Amino acid sequence: MTDLFLELNCEEIPARMQNKAIADLERLFLDALSQGGFAPKQSRTAISPRHMALEITGLIAQQPDTSEERRGPRIDAPDKAIDGFCAGAGVSRADLIEKDTGKGVFFFAQIDQKGASLERRLAEMVQDILSQFPWPKSQRWGRSRMSWVRPLHRVNVLLDGKAIAGQVDLGGSMSITFGAETEGHPFYTDELISLTDFDSYVNDLKRSYVIVDAAERRDLISAQAAEKAKSAGLNLRADDGLLAEVTGLVEFPNVLIGKIDDAFMQLPAEVLVTSMRVHQKFFALNESDGKIAPYFMTVANRLPDSETDALIIAGNERVLRARLSDAAFFYETDQQQKLEDYLPNLEQVAFYEGLGTVADKVERLQKLIPLISDSISGCDTQAAQRAAALSKADLVTGMVGEFPELQGLMGSYYALSSGESEAVAVAMRDHYRPAGPSDRLPETREGLALSLADKIDTLVGFFGVGAKPTGSKDPYALRRAALSILRILDEADISLPLDTLFVEAARLHGFDTADADLGRFVTDRLVVRLRDSGLAYDTVAASVVDGDISQIDRQVKRARALDTVLSTETGTALIAGFRRAANILAAEEKKTGSIDAGTVNPALLAADEEKALFTAVEALSQASDETKGGLSKAMQGLADLRGPIDAFFEAIIVNAEDPDLRTNRLALLAEVRGAMMQIADFSKIEK
Amino acid sequence: MALDFQSILLTLQQYWAAQGCVILQPYDMEVGAGTFHPATTLRSLGPDDVWNAAYVQPSRRPTDGRYGENPNRLQHYYQFQTIMKPSPANAQELYLGSLEAIGLDVKKHDIRFVEDDWESPTLGAWGLGWEVWCDGMEVSQFTYFQQVGGIECDPVPLELTYGLERLAMFIQGIENVYELDWDGVPKDKGGKKYGDVFLRAEREFSTWNFEVAETSRLLQHFKDAEAECALLLAHEPPLALPAYDQCMKASHLFNLLDARGVISVTERQGYIGRVRALAKQCCEAWVGVGAESSEKGTN
């Protein structure tokens, strides 16, 4: 068994690419080694900004030699055939052996193959994998023709602790010869570290001020941050995205805490947090009461040292002051005019080609609002319309220009300072929500209405000009818009006829009607959403009608109720009964054509079981008309059907000798099938 | 004692001269960044197989003007620019050495290389590299050029851009650019600060950029530059360098129009595309003519 240790040393790899890169490196080598027959067993990896390391253990160092005797053409075959055989087998004609197989005399070739050596094959693998590595963006350097994410300096390839011979050809007469040495932290040591194996590498690098394992670095940052926050009586504002990024920016983390000038604490907390995060990659902190604290945390890439730490903190504080002065400047100048005074500027901002300007969009939103707010009980239509009118004004303010992620939020702050009502401001703040699966819904009814209007307008508009998502490409996040609409309708329990609303929205865009694919697009998302929520595949299929978006809320509720019913023993029995009825009917319909429900003659119902089933199915038909009964009644009706169905099939022979009785019983089963299909498409249930 | 502004500039020149760079003077035209200097844009492409140069370049960004009232933003500032083709293997080391030379001890500060994909839509150029941070402040851009004027760079040049004012503010520990010590001469001996040299210019140019510039004339100048550029490119053989001057001119005029707020969002892309088309043709002409003249040289 042989162990491989591979180490790459390059200039700083962008933080966001590191996790995928090390996973790709591991996968590509495991695949290549498996395909080459070297049977890799286990692997470990580590990545830091300047280092990538991979260990693969349990490899076969030398594959056994093989020997094969291959039969060729008959000895009297034409020369062309014999030459062809020789070329294929890689032997000369003189080496061929003649043998009588009993069915004639044939040529045979003896083919001996040396077993592949890992060491020899590895050099090629390294060249192949490195020169075709799937970086999202890569570059050439010097005279190289090969690309890497940033200039690559060292390629170390070791088998059982020893460097193998070989090199990576970079093209342009540049190459890197395999070695067994790497660098430590570039600012602290020039000494090179000799490599042997993964464990000593990790330890030796640590002594040279590089913590090469990303998880260890992340945990170290978390622990240092928690400790520093605690000793200052503060709490860290959790930010996993930032933590992951910073982990990829440093090799030897040193968490430092600095002060924010009091003058800036009047800025909205979100502005402080965003400015610190986006520009400086600082963490924000909270006071014990949850309010933002006048402190920040930065993670330096170096050893702790009280003297230099103070210098570095002072430097970072100075930069932050400049950054926040900018933010304060925007905040102040943005408020020198009322929010509505920004509206004319929206006429200059294109929304999307063919969909007019943002000002046009705002106008459409205002017209859409009443069509939506009517379906949201307690929604203040006027406030929602006012919020719609102002909703995009912040896009042309300085602050949102600088921090696009503050859109909506800045609008609400500026609305309040312009004298707008709380209801308007909150709706504006929330109208981009939910921005993702983990994001909250708008808090108010007006916010819900505006969020729906915004997303419906976008969805209908983009479909209208043919900018539909294809495959994995969804540049305008239309799938997310559709999912957000569904989430709002479901979680806020809103009943909205999307079909007619889409048509209205399309007309506001100047289209004749809504795009034909929209209904299907939305119900496809609905199916995904319901499945993701844990409902069975077939239950969802039975409940969602493709392309029918007139009553989304009802489809959702039906799916959930059906799921509950079907997960009981009653449900299983019901399905069995349904299937039995459907099978009998299908066989009969094959012979005689369709059988109508509703033609049951009560006078011909003889047995008690028949009568009971008839009563139950009549009740279900009534209940399944949801306008009268509602879903729970329908579900109760379904459950109530189970006993009579079971009893019916137990006692009654459908195929009665009396043709009238027989026809009547078939009609009764047709009525059962019809009533059940009214509720959901039970034919799609597979259990 | 921290270096004064002009000493930082002089030290950088000396440092890069010692690394074998041709030390050039600023290009005598208004440009938005040191990259526009033909010593970078055109020389990144050819004809020399090796080209190492360094220079300071005043850069004009009309929209960044703040009438001298913002301590960090200027519509005219200095970039120090180094270009090394092919990019040296010890590029980062050389760069850190330049910081040491101007008195910035990299062992005492937090130096970080933060991803920055550089792209210039007007020059049809892109490259990969980093922003270099020192204690949280961006002090340089470090870029491996991959393409200029739509043409692949081979060999690959390294471009280093130092924001001199920021760097000097960092080194002098100053928070207001106008307070930078320019010459190291005491005030009572007539010593000058940055504001003594540039404050009035910031005020007057901000006013011109934002309020006074006659936009119809600027639009006409833009068209003129475009037409002149086309004329020079159509000449036989094409006059790449004079044509590129007109391209730089058009680019700056676009920036001025932008500051005046007369270019709508939709028009913006159109103007950028027009400048890019000029840059592209100039680069193509430069590469073509360069190849020809070097051939003649060897004959």
Side-chain angles (χ1 to χ4, degrees):
Chain A
M1 294 290 122
T2 289
D3 297 343
L4 162 67
F5 179 55
L6 174 87
E7 204 261 357
L8 306 174
N9 176 205
C10 73
E11 296 175 15
E12 280 77 359
I13 306 168
R16 66 189 169 94
M17 299 178 187
Q18 291 172 17
N19 287 343
K20 182 175 179 291
I22 196 66
D24 283 340
L25 190 75
E26 183 178 31
R27 175 180 52 82
L28 291 168
F29 272 96
L30 284 176
D31 287 356
L33 289 165
S34 295
Q35 277 167 23
F38 297 103
K41 298 278 176 315
Q42 286 182 316
S43 56
R44 281 192 287 175
T45 60
I47 189 162
S48 75
R50 297 174 66 89
H51 297 272
M52 296 169 83
L54 167 65
E55 177 197 62
I56 298 179
T57 58
L59 295 162
I60 296 167
Q62 176 68 52
Q63 294 177 9
D65 298 345
T66 56
S67 181
E68 177 201 358
E69 203 180 56
R70 191 185 292 177
R71 198 183 80 174
R74 284 174 183 275
I75 54 167
D76 53 0
D79 277 354
K80 212 173 163 189
I82 298 168
D83 290 343
F85 171 69
C86 287
V91 297
S92 69
R93 188 150 180 175
D95 295 333
L96 295 180
I97 310 158
E98 292 178 23
K99 269 193 191 176
D100 190 342
T101 63
K103 291 177 182 170
V105 183
F106 288 84
F107 279 122
F108 279 81
Q110 179 72 31
I111 305 169
D112 294 324
Q113 218 156 18
K114 278 276 178 211
S117 138
L118 175 60
E119 183 165 346
R120 209 158 331 126
R121 288 292 308 284
L122 197 53
E124 294 162 29
M125 273 181 210
V126 172
Q127 174 77 42
D128 288 350
I129 291 173
L130 265 48
S131 58
Q132 292 168 41
F133 200 78
W135 292 108
K137 257 186 182 176
S138 60
Q139 60 154 91
R140 292 170 292 108
W141 66 97
R143 298 177 189 279
S144 79
R145 301 307 304 163
M146 190 183 115
S147 290
W148 195 248
V149 62
R150 291 295 184 274
L152 180 62
H153 289 293
R154 294 171 201 279
V155 178
N156 297 308
V157 189
L158 290 83
L159 285 178
D160 291 332
K162 288 200 185 64
I164 70 163
Q167 61 165 29
V168 173
D169 180 6
L170 302 173
S173 64
M174 283 170 75
S175 64
I176 302 174
T177 304
F178 295 165
E181 279 182 325
T182 199
E183 58 162 39
H185 196 301
F187 302 153
Y188 290 118
T189 170
D190 295 333
E191 258 176 59
L192 294 176
I193 299 152
S194 299
L195 307 179
T196 50
D197 62 287
F198 193 86
D199 286 316
S200 45
Y201 165 75
V202 170
N203 286 327
D204 291 347
L205 265 188
K206 213 172 282 178
R207 273 195 287 277
S208 294
Y209 316 107
V210 175
I211 293 166
V212 72
D213 182 57
E216 189 182 345
R217 275 198 317 279
R218 187 196 57 218
D219 294 346
L220 199 65
I221 294 170
S222 289
Q224 284 186 28
E227 193 203 309
K228 296 238 166 163
K230 198 178 161 205
S231 60
L234 303 166
N235 297 314
L236 190 69
R237 281 170 88 108
D239 190 336
D240 290 342
L242 183 58
L243 179 61
E245 187 180 2
V246 169
T247 300
L249 281 175
V250 297
E251 298 200 308
F252 201 81
N254 176 23
V255 175
L256 301 172
I257 190 162
K259 183 109 179 56
I260 305 172
D261 269 13
D262 286 337
F264 300 119
M265 295 311 291
Q266 68 201 8
L267 286 169
E270 298 91 338
V271 171
L272 290 173
V273 173
T274 305
S275 175
M276 293 200 293
R277 173 189 218 279
V278 172
H279 287 311
Q280 301 303 134
K281 310 195 192 299
F282 289 168
F283 291 90
L285 294 145
N286 278 350
E287 304 279 10
S288 50
D289 62 2
K291 277 201 195 115
I292 189 159
Y295 293 93
F296 65 86
M297 257 181 201
T298 184
V299 186
N301 180 30
R302 45 167 302 121
L303 299 179
D305 171 295
S306 56
E307 190 193 332
T308 51
D309 282 359
L311 266 176
I312 293 169
I313 291 169
N316 277 288
E317 285 174 345
R318 213 157 53 213
V319 182
L320 185 61
R321 272 197 291 278
R323 290 294 191 189
L324 294 180
S325 301
D326 261 3
F329 170 80
F330 289 132
Y331 192 58
E332 195 181 307
T333 48
D334 282 350
Q335 292 181 88
Q336 277 169 5
Q337 51 178 341
K338 288 196 162 195
L339 190 56
E340 66 184 345
D341 296 337
Y342 286 95
L343 291 177
N345 298 355
L346 293 180
E347 291 162 23
Q348 295 294 315
V349 184
F351 173 49
Y352 185 76
E353 206 176 334
L355 299 177
T357 65
V358 175
D360 297 329
K361 178 172 179 99
V362 166
E363 210 179 304
R364 293 192 299 269
L365 293 184
Q366 285 170 267
K367 289 178 181 157
L368 266 180
I369 287 288
L371 305 175
I372 294 169
S373 63
D374 276 356
S375 304
I376 304 177
S377 68
C379 179
D380 178 345
T381 302
Q382 256 187 329
Q385 260 178 320
R386 180 67 181 157
L390 296 172
S391 59
K392 305 297 177 187
D394 65 354
L395 295 182
V396 285
T397 63
M399 188 74 88
V400 176
E402 183 78 0
F403 302 113
E405 57 270 64
L406 291 178
Q407 65 180 6
L409 188 81
M410 290 325 296
S412 77
Y413 279 114
Y414 296 155
L416 286 174
S417 69
S418 305
E420 302 292 335
S421 73
E422 181 84 16
V424 169
V426 172
M428 290 170 62
R429 181 195 68 193
D430 290 353
H431 85 279
Y432 293 103
R433 286 191 199 163
S438 58
D439 195 19
R440 286 171 299 160
L441 254 48
E443 280 173 20
T444 62
R445 295 178 169 94
E446 294 75 25
L448 292 168
L450 182 51
S451 175
L452 283 169
D454 192 25
K455 288 163 185 65
I456 289 170
D457 177 78
T458 297
L459 202 55
V460 171
F462 279 88
F463 267 72
V465 292
K468 302 174 193 180
T470 50
S472 62
K473 287 205 178 81
D474 184 13
Y476 311 108
L478 301 181
R479 291 194 180 101
R480 197 175 72 194
L483 269 171
S484 296
I485 292 170
L486 293 172
R487 255 192 80 188
I488 292 176
L489 295 184
D490 179 15
E491 291 174 27
D493 197 10
I494 295 168
S495 179
L496 201 61
L498 285 184
D499 50 349
T500 52
L501 200 54
F502 280 6
V503 173
E504 293 297 335
R507 291 195 180 132
L508 290 173
H509 273 288
F511 311 139
D512 290 337
T513 187
D515 187 89
D517 293 341
L518 265 169
R520 183 65 190 257
F521 181 73
V522 172
T523 55
D524 282 353
R525 305 276 88 64
L526 179 61
V527 166
V528 171
R529 176 173 159 73
L530 291 173
R531 277 189 214 154
D532 286 352
S533 76
L535 297 195
Y537 187 94
D538 53 352
T539 311
V540 174
S543 314
V544 175
V545 183
D546 277 348
D548 179 4
I549 52 170
S550 60
Q551 295 181 315
I552 293 288
D553 56 320
R554 208 163 282 181
Q555 299 197 48
V556 170
K557 284 178 193 146
R558 191 187 313 160
R560 298 222 174 96
L562 196 61
D563 187 62
T564 312
V565 172
L566 292 183
S567 62
T568 61
E569 190 255 328
T570 300
T572 317
L574 250 180
I575 292 300
F578 173 84
R579 208 166 284 149
R580 207 161 156 189
N583 287 343
I584 292 170
L585 290 168
E588 190 64 24
E589 280 165 343
K590 219 172 170 183
K591 282 186 267 174
T592 61
S594 73
I595 294 165
D596 293 335
T599 57
V600 178
N601 181 357
L604 286 177
L605 297 170
D608 286 349
E609 289 82 359
E610 279 180 287
K611 289 176 186 162
L613 182 58
F614 185 62
T615 313
V617 80
E618 288 284 281
L620 180 62
S621 298
Q622 287 286 319
S624 68
D625 187 347
E626 291 171 33
T627 49
K628 288 182 195 158
L631 196 63
S632 59
K633 238 176 166 178
M635 290 302 145
Q636 187 55 50
L638 264 183
D640 291 346
L641 193 61
R642 182 250 169 126
I645 283 194
D646 285 357
F648 177 86
F649 281 122
E650 190 78 18
I652 307 294
I653 295 163
V654 178
N655 221 352
E657 278 176 29
D658 178 341
D660 287 346
L661 273 187
R662 182 170 177 275
T663 310
N664 204 45
R665 283 173 187 168
L666 285 169
L668 179 57
L669 289 183
E671 193 151 333
V672 169
R673 181 181 62 179
M676 287 180 76
M677 290 291 280
Q678 278 286 310
I679 293 168
D681 188 349
F682 281 88
S683 67
K684 290 192 173 147
I685 301 290
E686 289 163 7
K687 60 180 83 141
Chain B
M1 188 54 203
L3 288 183
D4 55 68
F5 188 72
Q6 66 193 26
S7 298
I8 291 173
L9 201 164
L10 293 168
T11 307
L12 284 174
Q13 288 192 344
Q14 267 165 1
Y15 177 86
W16 288 109
Q19 309 304 328
C21 288
V22 170
I23 302 300
L24 293 168
Q25 299 306 313
Y27 203 68
D28 57 339
M29 287 185 67
E30 302 120 314
V31 290
T35 307
F36 275 85
H37 195 308
T40 292
T41 305
L42 299 180
R43 296 282 179 163
S44 287
L45 296 171
D48 319 77
D49 185 51
V50 174
W51 174 254
N52 298 319
Y55 54 88
V56 64
Q57 180 64 47
S59 302
R60 302 217 192 196
R61 304 250 169 114
T63 47
D64 282 348
R66 292 294 182 270
Y67 298 86
E69 285 166 14
N70 183 303
N72 293 294
R73 286 199 196 228
L74 302 163
Q75 54 84 41
H76 170 286
Y77 67 102
Y78 284 118
Q79 287 187 340
F80 190 87
Q81 178 94 2
T82 302
I83 185 96
M84 300 187 97
K85 180 179 84 168
S87 68
N90 59 343
Q92 286 183 313
E93 206 178 302
L94 286 176
Y95 168 72
L96 293 173
S98 74
L99 294 186
E100 297 273 359
I102 53 175
L104 215 156
D105 183 350
V106 299
K107 286 197 169 54
K108 290 193 172 158
H109 294 279
D110 181 29
I111 310 283
R112 226 87 73 69
F113 289 82
V114 181
E115 178 189 12
D116 186 33
D117 299 344
W118 174 79
E119 191 184 4
S120 169
T122 42
L123 285 177
W126 71 276
L128 297 187
W130 311 272
E131 295 176 350
V132 184
W133 288 15
C134 180
D135 298 349
M137 175 175 276
E138 182 193 340
V139 289
S140 303
Q141 281 180 352
F142 194 119
T143 310
Y144 293 98
F145 278 5
Q146 303 293 301
Q147 225 181 55
V148 173
I151 301 168
E152 190 184 76
C153 299
D154 182 23
V156 171
L158 163 73
E159 184 204 51
L160 297 173
T161 303
Y162 305 74
L164 282 181
E165 283 82 355
R166 276 207 203 167
L167 201 53
M169 285 166 78
F170 184 85
I171 287 168
Q172 295 183 19
I174 285 204
E175 299 197 29
N176 184 340
V177 64
Y178 298 105
E179 293 298 316
L180 274 177
D181 176 10
W182 187 284
D183 52 11
V185 177
K187 193 168 177 58
D188 56 8
K189 297 265 186 353
K192 295 288 178 263
K193 295 198 162 170
Y194 195 92
D196 297 326
V197 182
F198 278 125
L199 181 58
R200 178 165 173 175
E202 280 301 311
R203 287 182 184 142
E204 293 192 356
F205 276 99
S206 293
T207 309
W208 181 59
N209 294 339
F210 289 126
E211 302 169 39
V212 181
E214 172 54 63
T215 56
S216 60
R217 208 155 24 224
L218 290 177
L219 280 167
Q220 188 55 49
H221 289 340
F222 183 92
K223 284 181 200 148
D224 290 346
E226 210 176 20
E228 191 70 10
C229 188
L231 176 82
L232 294 165
L233 288 168
H235 185 269
E236 200 50 54
L239 302 172
L241 287 166
Y244 183 64
D245 271 11
Q246 298 301 319
C247 168
M248 285 188 274
K249 212 170 255 182
S251 172
H252 180 62
L253 287 161
F254 162 72
N255 290 340
L256 284 170
L257 286 162
D258 198 24
R260 286 289 274 129
V262 293
I263 293 180
S264 74
V265 182
T266 23
E267 285 172 318
R268 231 186 117 73
Q269 286 313 313
Y271 275 99
I272 291 174
R274 282 160 76 178
V275 177
R276 180 170 53 238
L278 298 182
K280 219 170 154 266
Q281 293 169 54
C282 291
C283 287
E284 282 161 7
W286 166 258
V287 173
V289 170
E292 222 168 84
S293 63
S294 68
E295 266 167 40
K296 274 177 199 156
T298 52
N299 280 346

